Amino acid sequence: QREAAEVAAMVADRPRGREGCWDFEGDEGVTGVRLGSLLDPNTRVLADYKDLGASPGCPKRFKRDILLPRILADLEKRAARLAEAGAGATISPERAAVTNALLDFYASGEQSVACCLWFYSRRVDAKHLAGTYRESGDDFLRRHATQRAKLRRSVELVGRGERVVTSAALEREGVRPGPGMGRLLALAQATSAELGLFEEEEVLKALRASPHWPAANGADRVRQEEEEGKAV
C-alpha cells in the first residue's frame, strides 16, 4: 500500500476536469483522499487535499473522512489526559464526552475508520521507534480493536441514530428540556456504552446514583434550574 503522503500527492496533483472542477464520479483514485488525510497539517499537500474536499461535487463521505484523522488525534490526546488524571469509578461529563466522541468516530464507516486507524498506527510506530512514544503501532491497533469490540452494540445504536435513554424518558423523570437535559443524555449514552447497559431502566438507575443527577427534591430542582437560567 502507498504511504499517506504518496496517496495525497497523487490526488492533489490530478488534473482538474471541466471548468476547473474535480471529476469525482467513477474515479477510484479519489478514494485515496481518505488515506492522505493523515499528513502533517503544515504540509502543502494536506492544504491541497482540504481544498479538494471543498470542491464542487465532492461526495459528503469524503468531506467526513477529511475530519476523521483530526478527530482521532484529538481523541487520543483527550483520552491520555483522562488516564493521567485517573479515570475513577464515576463517569464524569469529561469522560462521557470522550466516550461519545469515540462512538461517533467508530460509527463513521468501517472502511474509513480502518484506513484512518492503520495510517495513524504508522505515525505511532515512528514515534515508538524514535523512543518518544511508549505504545507501538501494533499495540495501538490492538487497543482500538478491543475498544471497538467492547463498544460494538453502542456504535450500532449511534449509527442508527438511536439512544437507550431518550429525552422523553428524562422528562418522565422530571428533568426539564435544556442544557441540563443535554448533559444527562450525554452521560446516559456514555454510561450505556461503558457499562454495557442497554435497558432504559438500567441506565436510568445508574444515572440516579450519579452525583450528576439533579436533586431529587422538586423544590431544589426548580431552584437549581432557575439559577442555571440566571447564569445563562
Side-chain angles (χ1 to χ4, degrees):
Q1 298 189 48
R2 291 184 176 90
E3 289 296 328
E6 293 179 62
V7 175
M10 177 191 72
V11 174
D13 293 339
R14 291 183 64 85
R16 296 178 182 270
R18 288 182 303 171
E19 299 178 358
C21 296
W22 293 87
D23 178 19
F24 290 96
E25 295 301 323
D27 189 346
E28 294 181 1
V30 176
T31 58
V33 81
R34 290 197 287 261
L35 311 182
S37 59
L38 291 171
L39 289 169
D40 186 280
N42 297 318
T43 64
R44 179 193 64 82
V45 176
L46 184 58
D48 291 342
Y49 161 67
K50 282 190 168 183
D51 290 342
L52 176 63
S55 298
C58 178
K60 287 184 179 179
R61 66 182 182 277
F62 291 158
K63 295 179 187 291
R64 170 63 179 174
D65 290 341
I66 289 172
L67 301 176
L68 285 183
R70 296 299 182 88
I71 292 171
L72 176 58
D74 180 59
L75 273 170
E76 290 291 298
K77 290 177 183 176
R78 290 163 69 187
R81 286 198 295 267
L82 280 176
E84 289 176 3
T90 302
I91 299 176
S92 65
E94 295 77 13
R95 179 170 154 188
V98 172
T99 297
N100 292 334
L102 189 62
L103 294 176
D104 289 337
F105 172 75
Y106 287 151
S108 299
E110 188 69 26
Q111 180 183 358
S112 299
V113 171
C115 287
C116 186
L117 289 171
W118 191 88
F119 276 99
Y120 197 90
S121 74
R122 301 307 91 194
R123 295 178 63 183
V124 170
D125 240 356
K127 293 180 180 179
H128 178 70
L129 292 172
T132 60
Y133 205 77
R134 176 181 54 81
E135 191 176 45
S136 71
D138 286 344
D139 290 338
F140 167 85
L141 290 175
R142 278 192 289 269
R143 171 164 59 83
H144 276 277
T146 300
Q147 286 181 159
R148 291 173 79 184
K150 176 186 175 183
L151 300 173
R152 179 186 59 79
R153 189 168 174 183
S154 295
V155 170
E156 291 172 355
L157 287 173
V158 169
R160 296 195 299 267
E162 299 176 4
R163 290 179 178 272
V164 176
V165 172
T166 63
S167 56
L170 291 179
E171 283 195 77
R172 289 195 298 270
E173 292 290 316
V175 180
R176 296 178 181 176
M181 177 180 280
R183 288 190 289 271
L184 282 176
L185 286 171
L187 281 170
Q189 181 171 271
T191 298
S192 170
E194 290 198 27
L195 303 183
L197 304 176
F198 298 100
E199 294 295 331
E200 180 183 280
E201 183 54 35
E202 290 180 325
V203 179
L204 286 174
K205 182 178 180 180
L207 286 179
R208 293 186 200 109
S210 164
H212 306 290
W213 185 254
N217 182 281
D220 288 345
R221 185 180 301 177
V222 170
R223 275 198 299 273
Q224 179 182 345
E225 290 171 351
E226 288 176 345
E227 289 172 1
E228 287 180 355
K230 291 177 182 177
V232 173

